[in-house]
Amino acid sequence: MADPADLPRIHEREPVTPPTTSRAIVPFPSPPEEPADPDRLGDVDEWGRSERWREIARTIYEPIYRDWFRAEWQGLENVPTQGGALLVANHAGAIPPDAPVIMHGIETELGRPLYGLADHMFRDLPVVGTLWSRLGGVVAHPDNAYRLLHDQDQLVLVFPEGIKGPGKHVSQRYQLRRFGRGGYVEIAMRAGVPIVPIAVMGAEEAMPVFAKSTTVARRLGLPYIPLTVGYLPSKFVLRVLPPVTFDVEPGQHRYSRSRIMDESEAIRTRIQDALHDMLRTRRSIWFG
Amino acid sequence: MGRRILVTGLGTFWGSRVAQTLEQDPTVEVIVGLGVDEPTVPLERTEYVRADESYSILSRLVKAMAVDTVVHTHLVVDPSQMPAAQVHETNVIGTMNLLAAASAPESSVRHIIVKSSTIVYGCSSSDPMWFDEDTPPSRPPSTRIERSLDEVEGYVRDFALDNPDVAISVLRFSKVLGDELETPISRSLGLPVVPAIAGFDPRFQFVHETDVVRAIMFVLEQQVSGVYNVAGDGVLPWSEVASICGKRTFPIPPYGTAVAGVALRRLGVDLPDELLALLRYGRGVDNSRLKDAGFRYEHTTAGTVKTFAEEARLRATVGDPHPTYRFEQDVETFFRHSPAVVRDAPASDTDEQADR
């Protein structure tokens, strides 16, 4: 059997070349992993993601993506076709539809796998947690992010608003919450990858929160229980803004906290401005 | 002068096999084994000294034999082997006595190898997907074994700080599978249906039995100091592990798992708390530090599971191919020390032999 140590390390492999852009579902290479072990029966990678499951998910989700949400991308060329990048987007909707739309869009339009960072609470859920993991969900731990971005040159999606985004009342829609403590900026700086901001329009109205209750929810271990209706067929427009790079040395142990906060606030403002711009030209919630 | 090695836990699975492998190495002059139980494999030149769990005889032994290397294999990582209080005694007190003997003023010990476990990283949902040697556990230790191993590694760290001229190698082994070793996981995989927690399919990583001994020998020969994870390349979801073994899984309820564990124990299926946590979250450790030091694994995780399954299949048909061995103290002493036994002529007599 070939000595695993002689096979090329992940970062020495050839870069992924994507297929020409089309809306059709195209097969593309699985995420770079250790070269195929002949003793393996399945294709679940080290993060728990399975390309076979993704293919099935894409097939099921395609009509929702294309006909229900009619997702439209602007500026997709800003997402790099090679190398790691941290995609950052605003987050909304009682059960957010933006994550699957972005993942589906990037994978079919760009042909690159995308991993989504989320709270470790997912890993505690039976069935849902395993499904989430098979479809590319990864716990938002800085070590995980570093390894994905720096060592494996992967695209990683994160929603810095966290649970505050989806918890917004419908009257507060498109008013972005604080982007956490800027941890995502520090992750990108340390990994030496650009941040690609994405402004998502449509998720707020797809599953609007009319009211929420925290009292009962807390006893069940949930952050809140929303009064909502979904998924409504709002038109999704996703505008990818030019990437943000940092002129700092990657791999440092710590970075200036004030610099991180400034950069984070700047990115939030850019996404906010892009949303206002898109909202100005939007005539109808349902038809764009 | 060759190396003079003390192996703790000679009666354990790993102690016996490490001693057996050391005997093949001609640069090793003396091998002494300390243990509560007798060795389980035939040995040729290893001396066996019976000891209690806390190795109170250890400092006398180290001094008397001018031991320069200690291989500490007797750390219990499988709670089903012995009662909890004994685990503490063996792991913590045993290691304390070992380190005390090694740090005595005129101690001859120059290298200590500790066979630890990736159990020290813990297992919870907030863990990173990969632990490397410097990653701390994300929660304080929750089980007894974890706590004892944590204490042991703490003592070893302190020893390393106090004795900078002694090389310390701490090897954290992931779960082991092999033809001969029996663990709760290997027993679970031997059942007609394999237990799994309903709704969870976590990643598992294994190291092969032979790679365990090879790693210890590598670290011993190269005298590499430091903490190293030892685990095969790649991780497998538990369902795939069961598939490679040709088994299906039966579900354990995801809520109230501890209660289900007690019920299963009554039926003879032993699932300790560590294993239940692993069946929920799994664990992956980064093995590149030892590879960068020059060690080459013979088996990946998938390869380990495959050879394990093949051996189990063979054993199911023809029974256990390894004959049982019983240690007899008098017989072994006779062969090692009796003047009646004809031994190979020592090097100084070669001139005499050439003349003949």
Side-chain angles (χ1 to χ4, degrees), chain B residues 14 21 51 81 94 116 150 170 190 195 232 284 309 312:
Chain B
W14 298 113
T21 315
Q81 272 179 18
S116 178
D150 206 46
V170 176

Short mmCIF file of all heavy atoms in Angstrom, two decimals, chain B residues 14 21 51 81 94 116 150 170 190 195 232 284 309 312:
data_model
loop_
_atom_site.label_atom_id
_atom_site.label_comp_id
_atom_site.label_asym_id
_atom_site.label_seq_id
_atom_site.Cartn_x
_atom_site.Cartn_y
_atom_site.Cartn_z
N TRP B 14 0.30 -4.02 26.53
CA TRP B 14 1.34 -3.22 25.88
C TRP B 14 2.70 -3.46 26.48
O TRP B 14 3.71 -3.53 25.76
CB TRP B 14 0.98 -1.74 25.96
CG TRP B 14 -0.29 -1.47 25.25
CD1 TRP B 14 -1.47 -1.09 25.79
CD2 TRP B 14 -0.52 -1.62 23.85
NE1 TRP B 14 -2.42 -0.99 24.81
CE2 TRP B 14 -1.86 -1.30 23.61
CE3 TRP B 14 0.28 -1.99 22.76
CZ2 TRP B 14 -2.43 -1.34 22.36
CZ3 TRP B 14 -0.28 -2.01 21.51
CH2 TRP B 14 -1.63 -1.69 21.31
N THR B 21 9.31 -6.67 21.74
CA THR B 21 9.95 -5.97 20.63
C THR B 21 11.34 -5.48 21.02
O THR B 21 12.27 -5.53 20.21
CB THR B 21 9.08 -4.80 20.17
OG1 THR B 21 7.73 -5.22 20.08
CG2 THR B 21 9.54 -4.27 18.83
N ALA B 51 5.38 -6.35 41.42
CA ALA B 51 5.25 -5.13 42.22
C ALA B 51 3.78 -4.89 42.51
O ALA B 51 2.91 -5.49 41.88
CB ALA B 51 5.82 -3.93 41.45
N GLN B 81 -11.58 -2.26 32.79
CA GLN B 81 -10.57 -3.24 33.22
C GLN B 81 -10.53 -3.40 34.74
O GLN B 81 -10.23 -4.46 35.24
CB GLN B 81 -9.19 -2.79 32.78
CG GLN B 81 -8.81 -3.24 31.40
CD GLN B 81 -7.42 -2.73 31.05
OE1 GLN B 81 -6.65 -2.35 31.92
NE2 GLN B 81 -7.12 -2.72 29.79
N GLY B 94 1.02 5.48 40.77
CA GLY B 94 2.08 4.76 40.06
C GLY B 94 3.01 5.73 39.35
O GLY B 94 4.24 5.62 39.41
N SER B 116 0.36 7.68 26.95
CA SER B 116 -0.86 8.36 27.38
C SER B 116 -1.95 8.15 26.33
O SER B 116 -1.82 7.30 25.44
CB SER B 116 -0.55 9.85 27.59
OG SER B 116 -1.69 10.55 27.95
N ASP B 150 -5.25 13.36 33.15
CA ASP B 150 -4.95 14.77 33.22
C ASP B 150 -3.93 15.04 34.32
O ASP B 150 -2.94 15.75 34.13
CB ASP B 150 -6.25 15.51 33.53
CG ASP B 150 -6.23 16.92 33.02
OD1 ASP B 150 -5.81 17.13 31.87
OD2 ASP B 150 -6.60 17.81 33.80
N VAL B 170 5.88 12.01 25.64
CA VAL B 170 4.50 11.65 26.00
C VAL B 170 3.79 11.33 24.69
O VAL B 170 3.68 12.18 23.80
CB VAL B 170 3.79 12.82 26.71
CG1 VAL B 170 2.35 12.46 26.99
CG2 VAL B 170 4.50 13.14 28.01
N GLY B 190 -17.62 -6.34 17.59
CA GLY B 190 -17.75 -7.79 17.44
C GLY B 190 -19.16 -8.29 17.64
O GLY B 190 -19.46 -9.45 17.34
N PRO B 195 -23.63 -0.98 18.44
CA PRO B 195 -24.39 0.14 19.03
C PRO B 195 -23.99 1.48 18.43
O PRO B 195 -22.83 1.70 18.10
CB PRO B 195 -24.00 0.08 20.52
CG PRO B 195 -22.72 -0.68 20.56
CD PRO B 195 -22.73 -1.61 19.40
N GLY B 232 -3.84 7.08 13.28
CA GLY B 232 -3.75 6.87 11.84
C GLY B 232 -4.28 8.05 11.07
O GLY B 232 -5.03 8.87 11.59
N GLY B 284 -11.00 13.86 16.53
CA GLY B 284 -9.91 13.73 15.57
C GLY B 284 -8.68 14.42 16.14
O GLY B 284 -8.79 15.49 16.73
N ALA B 309 -11.24 -6.00 10.91
CA ALA B 309 -12.40 -6.77 10.46
C ALA B 309 -11.97 -8.10 9.85
O ALA B 309 -12.59 -9.15 10.08
CB ALA B 309 -13.20 -5.95 9.46
N ALA B 312 -10.96 -10.44 12.58
CA ALA B 312 -12.14 -10.92 13.32
C ALA B 312 -12.85 -12.00 12.53
O ALA B 312 -13.33 -12.99 13.09
CB ALA B 312 -13.08 -9.74 13.60
#
